[in-house]
Amino acid sequence: MATLPKVIEALQPYDGRDEATLTQHARLLREAGYIPGGKRGVGAPHMTSRHAAVLLLGIFASPTPKDSVGTVEALGILRHHFTEGRLAERFDWLDGRNFLDALMLLIERAREVTDLLSDLIEADRQWTEAQVGHIHATTAKGGGLIELNVEISSVSATVRASWGPVELLKVIYMVDSERFMSGEYNSRMNADRKVTTQFSLRTIVGLHNVIYGG
């Protein structure tokens, strides 16, 4: 069973900050009701892929723990804007989603994504048996020749896959026009110190493994 401490432990190597800092982020998100609270050890609440997506967004896209809740509230509702690229049809399950739902689905379907990328690389040319084994082993961990990254800025987010200089996929999430016109995002847009972050398929696979086993 995936508990909050296990998810924090899985995220820490990819974030780089110490577990104590990540736990502060999680505590504030828990107090805001975005992840479940409860007792420790036996009977601790089970973490789902949605809770993992909340932690991923709140921790990675926030410079300090106190920013976590605001980050999830502002960026989780970014709306799907468009999808393009050679792999667009293979990732159509991201269309029409808000950004938090997209992160949740990426975590849930991480194995499907790594299998797709492995097959794409393998079909590109004649590889030796050893090379094929290396391709599948590396891609299964979220690495390999095709890079899939999630980029988050102050008011938008992009899921991008590329093979060297060739872009295979771009999925854009942006502020809803009504919320933009209402001025809800003015402070984020007008700040000179803008927080941007990026994480790769490795982080997504790491979360999938701790939630579903792997």
Side-chain angles (χ1 to χ4, degrees), residues 129-152:
E129 184 176 343
Q131 287 173 328
V132 169
H134 178 72
I135 288 168
H136 283 273
T138 303
T139 309
K141 297 177 182 178
L145 294 173
I146 299 177
E147 295 183 350
L148 190 148
N149 296 309
V150 179
E151 304 165 1
I152 306 173

Side-chain angles (χ1 to χ4, degrees), residues 15-32:
D15 180 272
R17 290 171 289 182
D18 58 77
E19 287 189 22
T21 299
L22 272 57
T23 299
Q24 291 181 51
H25 284 266
R27 177 178 60 80
L28 293 171
L29 290 166
R30 185 180 65 236
E31 291 174 354

Side-chain angles (χ1 to χ4, degrees), residues 24-26 28-29 54 57-59 62 64-73:
Q24 291 181 51
H25 284 266
L28 293 171
L29 290 166
V54 165
L57 179 57
I59 289 173
S62 302
T64 66
K66 67 181 178 61
D67 300 304
S68 301
V69 173
T71 294
V72 170
E73 292 175 346

Side-chain angles (χ1 to χ4, degrees), residues 14-187:
Y14 303 110
D15 180 272
R17 290 171 289 182
D18 58 77
E19 287 189 22
T21 299
L22 272 57
T23 299
Q24 291 181 51
H25 284 266
R27 177 178 60 80
L28 293 171
L29 290 166
R30 185 180 65 236
E31 291 174 354
Y34 285 104
I35 56 177
K39 53 187 176 181
R40 300 171 182 269
V42 178
H46 176 68
M47 300 293 289
T48 66
S49 57
R50 185 167 188 84
H51 301 142
V54 165
L55 285 167
L56 178 57
L57 179 57
I59 289 173
F60 272 58
S62 302
T64 66
K66 67 181 178 61
D67 300 304
S68 301
V69 173
T71 294
V72 170
E73 292 175 346
L75 301 183
I77 59 173
L78 296 178
R79 298 189 63 82
H80 175 258
H81 188 57
F82 69 84
T83 301
E84 65 179 13
R86 174 180 169 186
L87 296 180
E89 290 187 6
R90 304 300 295 272
F91 284 84
D92 59 0
W93 40 272
L94 292 175
D95 295 355
R97 305 285 181 171
N98 65 37
F99 184 50
L100 186 60
D101 285 345
L103 290 178
M104 178 186 71
L105 287 173
L106 283 169
I107 294 168
E108 286 182 0
R109 303 177 71 162
R111 285 299 166 209
E112 178 184 331
V113 172
T114 57
D115 287 346
L116 167 63
L117 299 185
S118 289
D119 292 345
L120 190 64
I121 296 168
E122 184 178 350
D124 178 65
R125 67 188 68 176
Q126 288 293 114
W127 305 96
T128 66
E129 184 176 343
Q131 287 173 328
V132 169
H134 178 72
I135 288 168
H136 283 273
T138 303
T139 309
K141 297 177 182 178
L145 294 173
I146 299 177
E147 295 183 350
L148 190 148
N149 296 309
V150 179
E151 304 165 1
I152 306 173
S153 73
S154 57
V155 292
S156 66
T158 306
V159 180
R160 190 189 311 272
S162 57
W163 191 338
V166 180
E167 187 167 82
L168 303 176
L169 177 73
K170 181 191 287 185
V171 189
I172 300 289
Y173 298 86
M174 299 187 70
V175 176
D176 179 87
S177 57
E178 290 185 8
R179 291 180 179 272
F180 174 79
M181 294 302 295
S182 73
E184 288 184 38
Y185 288 78
N186 283 355
S187 61

